[in-house]
Amino acid sequence: MCSSATSATSSATCGDPSPVVGGPPDPQQSYGRKSHVPRHRCHRPLRTSGGGGAGRGRRPGAGADPTPEQAALPREVDVVQADLTKPETLPAALAGVEGVFLVLRYGMDVAPLLTAARQAGVRRLVFLSSGAVVPGADRQPDVIAQYHRDVESAVEASEIEWTFLRLLFPAINSLTFAMQLQGGDTIRAPYTEAASSAVHERDVAEAAARILTGGGHGGRAYDVTGPESLTQAQQVRILGETLGRPLTVEDLDPEPVLEQMSQFMDPEFLAALFALMEQSIGKPAPVNDVIEQITGHPARTYARWAADHRAHFGG
């Protein structure tokens, strides 16, 4: 059986490679929800034959969720209650689990999970890491990269077969635009000309599922991108076309936004994030075919993401 390990307070931004920056967000929007990635994976339960990932009499695709009665997952998925901040809840949740998809909120201690996973006999672990990590660097360039590289190092030392999916800007960050669109047709944000190759969370989920059930990716670190480089302004244009609304963007001075957001989010984290976005202005974001290599299909476009999330924007 394979499981998704997420914290009770894990981010909606896929392991916090970057939180949302569409103006000052509601902390609950960015940090109070469970990760969307494992839930998408569980909507396609992992099924294997022979001696694969599903085993020991339990249904495949089980996920750890802090409130099982509200998990909103298909009935064929077993939901077990666990919280990465409470190590005593982990052994029961990991019983019979052979593969773990790990999505962490920035700053969380991964050691209790790795200890419990090793003791439970977990064979494979996929960690959703950050594209800010610089391979081979003695010291990482910022706190985002350093935290994720430290987690990677702990996973490497765990004796569990590992694979890292390094993701920089998930498409789901755009959900904060929905809050602004409730009051009009203008999106206000800093760095609207910053480019990224936003990744659909379903692509991340499918890649993790393929790795956990198929093998052949042990000891590999993949930089995961979407299929195109788009600025925030271009994303808003695509979103407007999808919704049939004439959306416009207004570029904000980053300093006041950073000061305001620092009142309820980690200042060092935010400073590193804003620096990453500033560095992305005026140059295309890297694009690769990693998703296609792993899943067998091209990565989903931002337009596809917008269409899949019309309901979140009132469309």
Side-chain angles (χ1 to χ4, degrees):
M1 183 187 71
C2 296
S3 174
S4 298
T6 62
S7 78
T9 54
S10 64
S11 166
T13 60
C14 308
D16 289 347
S18 63
V20 187
V21 193
D26 176 351
Q28 291 301 314
Q29 177 76 14
S30 297
Y31 286 93
R33 295 181 179 177
K34 297 175 289 297
S35 170
H36 288 65
V37 174
R39 177 160 279 103
H40 275 294
R41 183 195 58 71
C42 285
H43 275 285
R44 294 189 178 185
L46 306 182
R47 301 185 184 280
T48 59
S49 59
R56 307 194 202 180
R58 299 184 65 184
R59 298 192 200 106
D65 194 289
T67 54
E69 68 280 1
Q70 298 177 356
L73 293 171
R75 284 195 292 180
E76 65 266 28
V77 176
D78 279 341
V79 180
V80 292
Q81 187 166 13
D83 185 335
L84 299 190
T85 66
K86 299 177 181 178
E88 66 275 12
T89 67
L90 299 178
L94 288 168
V97 169
E98 295 183 7
V100 169
F101 182 28
L102 180 61
V103 182
L104 290 177
R105 179 179 176 177
Y106 171 75
M108 288 194 67
D109 182 9
V110 72
L113 182 279
L114 293 178
T115 298
R118 188 167 53 247
Q119 292 174 348
V122 169
R123 296 173 50 239
R124 291 177 183 153
L125 184 148
V126 175
F127 171 48
L128 187 61
S129 189
S130 171
V133 171
V134 177
D138 292 334
R139 184 163 185 81
Q140 295 296 318
D142 58 51
V143 295
I144 296 174
Q146 190 63 59
Y147 168 72
H148 287 88
R149 181 57 197 141
D150 288 345
V151 173
E152 289 181 356
S153 296
V155 172
E156 290 169 352
S158 70
E159 300 180 359
I160 298 171
E161 181 183 300
W162 56 266
T163 305
F164 303 144
L165 298 178
R166 292 174 175 159
L167 169 66
L168 198 56
F169 291 106
I172 209 162
N173 279 5
S174 296
L175 285 183
T176 51
F177 293 160
M179 294 184 288
Q180 296 194 41
L181 293 180
Q182 292 174 7
D185 291 330
T186 300
I187 298 296
R188 298 172 177 84
Y191 306 119
T192 58
E193 291 303 315
S196 67
S197 51
V199 184
H200 196 305
E201 63 275 6
R202 190 175 292 277
D203 285 334
V204 179
E206 289 183 10
R210 290 292 184 93
I211 293 168
L212 289 172
T213 59
H217 300 275
R220 301 287 299 276
Y222 294 103
D223 288 317
V224 179
T225 78
E228 58 200 337
S229 173
L230 296 170
T231 65
Q232 286 198 92
Q234 290 171 323
Q235 290 177 352
V236 171
R237 176 182 57 77
I238 293 171
L239 184 58
E241 292 171 353
T242 302
L243 299 175
R245 295 173 60 176
L247 304 184
T248 59
V249 294
E250 178 183 328
D251 198 70
L252 298 179
D253 181 348
E255 291 303 321
V257 177
L258 178 61
E259 182 177 354
Q260 185 175 0
M261 294 178 69
S262 294
Q263 296 177 18
F264 52 85
M265 295 171 68
D266 183 275
E268 285 189 304
F269 181 92
L270 285 171
L273 171 64
F274 275 46
L276 285 170
M277 298 192 72
E278 184 174 12
Q279 294 164 14
S280 302
I281 295 175
K283 58 182 180 181
V287 172
N288 62 40
D289 63 351
V290 164
I291 289 296
E292 185 169 7
Q293 290 178 34
I294 297 175
T295 67
H297 65 73
R300 293 169 172 88
T301 64
Y302 185 83
R304 169 66 184 274
W305 181 89
D308 289 344
H309 289 273
R310 283 180 61 98
H312 290 95
F313 298 92

